Amino acid sequence: MKLIIGYLYHDLMNIYGDIGNIIALQKRAEWRGIEAEVKYISIGDSLKTGEVDIFFFGGGQDLSQELVAKDLTKGKGKVIKSEVEKGVPLLSICGGYQLLGDYYQPFDKPKLKGVGLFPAYTNASNDRMIGNIVIQTSVISRQSSDLVGFENHSGKTKLKKGAKPLGQVLKGFGNNGEDRTEGCIYKNAVGCYIHGSLLPKNPRLTDWLLQKALEKKYKKDVVLEPLNNEIELKAHNKAISKFG
Ligand code: GLN
């Protein structure tokens, strides 16, 4: 089996080590004998339906977000949205997450139109929400689990009525530092503020994305071969221990 990982705006939206998410997806596929190819997609590149099996969209500063938001309106935003509607999995972090909502309003610049994938919107604020974060989620497996990482954003994301948060904040700020929600999930698309990078320390989420991609592409139930997660879980628990 083979998966194409679509790395959206890799050259503009890749801060705080977000490329670690691509590496985690690639390695956890390859360790199971599944070929994983990265397709780099940026400004001016074409994107057709069926070309990508998992999308990744990392974080970025306001200037990069301005350039990317404009490019998304030229066609790629519509393709990403329609692929997610068909069940293609996606992971977006911070700046990428913000651009997949209805809009991102930077502090002192014009509003950036979003893709409208997540029922959410973001306004920049005077607060800098920065530090380690732990959330509890029950969307990636039947029993609830936690996700750990690092956040650094001024944007406050509010979820619209009916939107499903990725989880509840146990430690840290999350979407906005006010309503204890973090992230958003829509079909197999995940948006959140968790850098770190997120996936290397949260192997269950990596496997959830891989499984959804394989099931969508090969139209069958997929049981991923278990891997030895000793190092990943050591990093996960170390991150949690930072909260004392
Ligand atoms: N510029 C956005 C904010 O500060 C996103 C930053 C990021 O991607 N870490 O909220």
Side-chain angles (χ1 to χ4, degrees):
M1 295 193 278
K2 176 175 181 177
L3 289 175
I4 308 287
I5 303 166
Y7 191 175
L8 294 169
Y9 305 101
H10 56 94
D11 49 348
L12 289 163
M13 302 293 282
N14 171 23
I15 51 178
Y16 310 129
D18 283 343
I19 192 168
N21 295 299
I22 293 285
I23 297 169
L25 285 165
Q26 255 185 317
K27 286 295 166 202
R28 292 185 74 82
E30 288 167 0
W31 290 337
R32 291 168 166 122
I34 301 161
E35 206 186 326
E37 180 192 321
V38 179
K39 179 179 173 55
Y40 297 90
I41 306 158
S42 192
I43 304 262
D45 291 335
S46 71
L47 175 63
K48 295 187 187 67
T49 56
E51 280 186 328
V52 166
D53 301 313
I54 306 179
F55 287 103
F56 176 69
F57 194 179
Q61 303 305 349
D62 285 15
L63 190 64
S64 302
Q65 287 180 283
E66 233 174 283
L67 298 170
V68 168
K70 207 160 140 225
D71 188 66
L72 282 167
T73 61
K74 294 178 181 161
K76 286 202 274 291
K78 281 203 174 75
V79 173
I80 294 164
K81 192 161 188 272
S82 77
E83 292 292 85
V84 167
E85 289 294 346
K86 292 178 202 159
V88 174
L90 171 146
L91 173 65
S92 57
I93 309 280
C94 204
Y97 167 39
Q98 293 171 342
L99 293 181
L100 293 179
D102 289 355
Y103 67 80
Y104 170 55
Q105 173 61 66
F107 210 62
D108 50 5
K109 290 199 174 158
K111 186 183 280 191
L112 301 178
K113 186 173 169 3
V115 168
L117 173 64
F118 295 118
Y121 54 88
T122 303
N123 290 291
S125 74
N126 273 321
D127 306 328
R128 191 86 218 160
M129 290 157 278
I130 181 168
N132 295 311
I133 176 171
V134 184
I135 72 165
Q136 191 155 57
T137 178
S138 52
V139 293
I140 53 174
S141 67
R142 267 181 285 284
Q143 75 271 25
S144 84
S145 57
D146 45 35
L147 296 174
V148 292
F150 176 83
E151 61 184 322
N152 181 353
H153 54 105
S154 78
K156 293 193 172 188
T157 296
K158 296 286 171 73
L159 299 182
K160 290 163 70 174
K161 197 167 166 8
K164 202 172 167 198
L166 174 61
Q168 294 299 314
V169 175
L170 297 178
K171 300 270 186 186
F173 299 94
N175 277 327
N176 47 54
E178 294 155 13
D179 62 16
R180 311 305 295 160
T181 65
E182 164 48 7
C184 187
I185 184 162
Y186 174 71
K187 297 201 171 199
N188 295 326
V190 168
C192 68
Y193 275 107
I194 311 178
H195 293 286
S197 36
L198 171 63
L199 295 183
K201 286 195 279 291
N202 299 282
R204 200 179 281 170
L205 180 55
T206 317
D207 289 350
W208 182 85
L209 289 162
L210 290 172
Q211 179 155 3
K212 293 297 178 189
L214 289 165
E215 289 178 347
K216 163 80 179 54
K217 183 167 189 174
Y218 294 101
K219 301 197 181 15
K220 62 177 183 177
D221 283 346
V222 165
V223 178
L224 288 176
E225 176 202 336
L227 294 174
N228 174 345
N229 292 329
E230 192 189 340
I231 296 176
E232 291 85 348
L233 295 178
K234 229 181 190 164
H236 180 100
N237 297 330
K238 181 79 185 146
I240 291 194
S241 70
K242 284 187 188 300
F243 279 101

